[in-house]
């Protein structure tokens, strides 16, 4: 069994708990930080920006697409919550895979996840820079991308508490904005909003424009492909919990609240959009679904309001992406799957080398986005695109194995339990495999190229993992022989 990184907290009486391995991370995240990270983690910029293409593809049936993916995410998070509550660690599912399936699994999924987030850094930095350049054109877009990356890098380098504080306010703005959107839009749909006469709003929009499934049932599956990646980030609380004062409580709370978070923020807001406007309204594609919905209510400067909310989501995603990538790199370093320097921390408990290394690769990806957007960066984007599904698949198989281990060794740690184990776990595996298979048939939205390129990168990482494992085994045998 590999060592699991935990915190450098000491009991008040000064005694050390010998059952808890030590690392340099510190418990700098407060309960309010973890609560907001958990709530805001499911609200990504992809929800605001990417939902319009899903609505245009599936019509009102996009609600089924979001419900299907949301149900899958709830199941996967329940499995991850079970493992993380029993053993909170900064490596989260990568450390669990290491223990359950073997070092090759922890190594592979950890590096793939790190790769995903450093590419996301480039995507989000560019998206934020476009908005900021529109407001202050005197600074070029690349300049804004540089400024944003430097500021958030400094935040993460300061302390985990500063990351938590920034994320608390970023997530708070997102939550307030989307809650206000749901309330205002919902009142308009039912004709209860004073001073607004929206002749397009109403529940009739769900069925009157070609039906609830205007493009057929198959469009719901295509919608799944378009929305599935906007759910990535739900797992962040299980990584962040390792640096909280009460990791087990934090993981349990985040896991138990995932259902209402997805139901309210995803299904609730999309329901408002498709009832405020006909799904085939041109403005949804031209302006974006949320901007078009606000415009239909006659709210002035709807575009700028939404730009501010999207910018907040982008900064939140950048902040969390850098944090998540660095903690995964830290965990890989702790387990010997990355340079040992990644596992070193400053006196404030910050894995400085892991953060800076992640930022460097993020800057390289930003450069490729500006210099080679249709070649190198497109390859990076597509080759990391299906990592979310691979992560979820590994979580499922890890939970199948770890449940038996935990029950045999420390059953009292099963404070969160997967429902209907193992049947729902296997059902989730079947759904993920089906989605990956369906993506291979999708040429219109680059589904096939995304899966194939991601599998190519995964195969390379797996090959490196097995070579490393063989070298480690040989060194161990040689060491035994000398002894």
């Amino acid at each position: 069994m590999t060592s699991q990184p935990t915190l450098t907290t000491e009991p008040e009486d000064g005694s050390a708990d010998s059952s808890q391995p030590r690392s340099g991370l510190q418990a700098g995240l407060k309960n309010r930080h973890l609560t907001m990270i958990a709530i805001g983690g499911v609200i990504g910029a992809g929800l605001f920006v990417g939902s319009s293409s899903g609505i245009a593809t599936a019509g009102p049936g996009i609600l089924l697409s979001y419900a299907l993916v949301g149900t899958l995410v709830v199941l996967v998070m329940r499995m991850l919550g079970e493992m993380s509550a029993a053993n909170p660690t900064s490596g989260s599912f990568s450390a669990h895979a290491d223990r359950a399936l073997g070092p090759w699994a922890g190594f592979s999924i950890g590096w793939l996840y790190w790769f995903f987030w450093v590419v996301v850094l480039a995507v989000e930095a560019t998206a934020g820079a476009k908005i900021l350049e529109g407001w202050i054109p005197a600074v070029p877009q690349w300049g804004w991308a540089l400024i944003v990356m430097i500021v958030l890098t400094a935040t993460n380098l300061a302390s985990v508490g500063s990351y938590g504080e920034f994320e608390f306010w970023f997530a708070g703005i997102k939550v307030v904005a989307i809650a206000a959107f749901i309330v205002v839009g919902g009142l308009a749909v039912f004709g209860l909003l004073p001073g607004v006469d929206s002749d397009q709003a109403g529940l009739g929009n769900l069925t009157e424009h070609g039906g609830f499934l205007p493009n057929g049932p198959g469009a719901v599956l295509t919608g799944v492909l378009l929305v599935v990646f906007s759910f990535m980030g739900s797992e962040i609380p299980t990584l962040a919990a390792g640096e909280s004062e009460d990791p087990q409580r934090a993981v349990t709370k985040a896991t138990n609240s995932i259902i209402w978070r997805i139901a309210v923020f995803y299904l609730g807001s999309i329901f408002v959009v498709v009832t405020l406007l006909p799904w085939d309204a041109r403005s949804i594609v031209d302006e974006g679904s949320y901007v078009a919905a606000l415009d239909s209510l006659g709210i002035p400067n709807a575009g700028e309001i939404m730009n501010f909310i999207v910018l907040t989501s982008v900064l939140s995603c950048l902040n969390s992406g850098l944090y998540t990538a660095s903690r995964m790199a830290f965990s890989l370093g702790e387990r010997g799957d990355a340079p040992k320097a990644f596992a070193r921390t400053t006196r404030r408990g910050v894995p400085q080398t892991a953060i800076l290394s992640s930022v460097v690769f993020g800057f390289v990806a930003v450069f490729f986005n500006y210099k080679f957007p249709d070649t190198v960066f497109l390859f990076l984007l597509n080759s990391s695109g299906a990592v979310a599904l691979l992560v979820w698949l590994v979580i499922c198989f890890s939970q199948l194995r770890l449940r038996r281990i935990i029950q045999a060794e420390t059953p009292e740690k099963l404070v969160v339990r997967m429902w209907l184990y193992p049947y729902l776990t296997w059902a989730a595996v079947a759904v993920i495999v089906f989605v990956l298979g369906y993506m291979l048939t999708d040429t219109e939205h680059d589904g096939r190229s995304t899966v194939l390129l991601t599998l190519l990168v995964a195969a390379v990482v797996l090959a490196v993992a097995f070579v490393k494992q063989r070298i480690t085994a040989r060194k161990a045998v040689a060491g035994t022989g000398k002894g």
Side-chain angles (χ1 to χ4, degrees):
M1 188 187 302
T2 56
S3 63
Q4 305 298 321
T6 53
L7 302 175
T8 57
T9 51
E10 298 266 354
E12 288 184 8
D13 61 2
S15 62
D17 183 357
S18 60
S19 68
Q20 295 294 323
R22 300 280 304 277
S23 82
L25 295 181
Q26 295 179 1
L29 293 176
K30 300 175 182 177
N31 286 335
R32 65 182 178 88
H33 293 154
L34 262 297
T35 298
M36 201 55 75
I37 288 170
I39 295 174
V42 296
I43 309 173
L47 173 63
F48 300 110
V49 178
S51 56
S52 55
S53 58
I55 293 171
T57 299
I62 195 65
L63 287 167
L64 296 180
S65 302
Y66 275 103
L68 286 171
V69 180
T71 301
L72 177 61
V73 171
V74 167
L75 295 179
V76 171
M77 278 298 297
R78 187 74 184 181
M79 298 175 220
L80 183 55
E82 176 183 289
M83 296 184 289
S84 295
N87 184 23
T89 168
S90 61
S92 188
F93 52 84
S94 173
H96 303 322
D98 191 307
R99 183 184 180 192
L101 307 176
W104 64 269
F107 178 98
S108 302
I109 206 63
W111 278 113
L112 284 172
Y113 188 71
W114 178 87
F115 173 58
F116 171 86
W117 280 110
V118 293
V119 173
V120 166
L121 291 180
V123 174
E124 301 296 340
T126 304
K130 285 181 181 177
I131 295 174
L132 289 166
E133 186 190 31
W135 291 342
I136 308 176
V139 179
Q141 193 178 120
W142 65 265
W144 279 119
L146 184 64
I147 291 169
V148 166
M149 290 279 277
I150 289 174
V151 169
L152 292 179
T153 300
T155 299
N156 275 265
L157 285 173
S159 69
V160 68
S162 62
Y163 154 72
E165 199 62 34
F166 266 71
E167 191 56 26
F168 176 82
W169 292 105
F170 286 153
I173 292 170
K174 287 192 295 183
V175 169
V176 169
I178 204 164
F181 174 82
I182 292 171
V183 171
V184 171
L187 290 173
V189 167
F190 293 102
L192 301 174
L193 190 63
V196 172
D197 182 22
S198 179
D199 55 352
Q200 299 182 88
L203 296 178
N205 285 326
L206 296 174
T207 56
E208 289 175 0
H209 300 269
F212 185 70
L213 299 172
N215 296 323
V220 173
L221 292 177
T222 305
V224 166
L225 306 186
L226 296 174
V227 307
V228 66
F229 305 112
S230 66
F231 283 82
M232 194 67 162
S234 303
E235 71 292 336
I236 291 176
T238 65
L239 285 97
E243 292 175 83
S244 68
E245 296 167 350
D246 188 350
Q248 190 178 77
R249 178 178 176 273
V251 168
T252 303
K253 190 174 180 180
T255 302
N256 290 337
S257 65
I258 187 70
I259 297 176
W260 72 260
R261 286 186 277 135
I262 288 176
V264 171
F265 296 123
Y266 276 87
L267 291 176
S269 64
I270 293 297
F271 174 81
V272 167
V273 170
V274 295
T275 50
L276 280 178
L277 286 168
W279 70 271
D280 53 356
R282 187 67 196 172
S283 57
I284 289 180
V285 176
D286 292 343
E287 302 174 20
S289 53
Y290 287 81
V291 173
L294 289 175
D295 271 338
S296 73
L297 299 178
I299 295 177
N301 302 312
E304 290 306 310
I305 292 173
M306 191 51 60
N307 271 339
F308 173 74
I309 296 170
V310 170
L311 178 62
T312 303
S313 295
V314 163
L315 295 176
S316 172
C317 191
L318 263 173
N319 194 36
S320 288
L322 181 52
Y323 171 84
T324 305
S326 66
R327 269 29 177 208
M328 185 58 72
F330 169 84
S331 177
L332 289 166
E334 280 265 317
R335 290 178 275 137
D337 290 337
K340 284 294 182 185
F342 284 13
R344 297 195 195 112
T345 58
T346 66
R347 280 186 290 183
R348 295 185 301 275
V350 174
Q352 183 173 289
T353 304
I355 291 174
L356 293 176
S357 300
S358 301
V359 170
V360 166
F361 279 92
F363 274 124
V364 170
V366 169
F367 171 76
F368 285 145
N369 193 10
Y370 286 113
K371 197 71 176 175
F372 311 107
D374 299 322
T375 52
V376 180
F377 188 72
L378 186 62
F379 169 80
L380 291 176
L381 203 59
N382 285 337
S383 60
S384 65
V387 166
L389 291 168
L390 297 183
V391 167
W392 296 346
L393 202 57
V394 167
I395 289 172
C396 292
F397 286 117
S398 297
Q399 188 266 340
L400 285 169
R401 172 77 176 136
L402 266 188
R403 164 65 81 89
R404 294 195 295 271
I405 294 174
I406 298 170
Q407 278 183 324
E409 296 179 359
T410 52
E412 70 279 1
K413 290 187 176 182
L414 278 173
V415 293
V416 176
R417 290 175 179 263
M418 176 59 185
W419 307 297
L420 296 177
Y421 167 83
Y423 307 109
L424 276 182
T425 302
W426 280 112
V429 168
V431 171
I432 295 168
V433 171
F434 174 78
V435 172
L436 283 168
Y438 189 76
M439 285 181 73
L440 290 172
T441 68
D442 175 48
T443 55
E444 183 180 352
H445 303 98
D446 293 327
R448 178 183 295 174
S449 61
T450 296
V451 171
L452 291 177
L453 287 174
T454 300
L455 291 178
L456 173 64
V457 172
V460 171
V461 175
L462 267 174
V464 173
F466 283 120
V467 169
K468 177 186 175 297
Q469 191 169 318
R470 178 164 294 187
I471 292 172
T472 302
R474 283 179 180 173
K475 286 182 178 178
V477 171
T480 304
K482 288 178 182 179

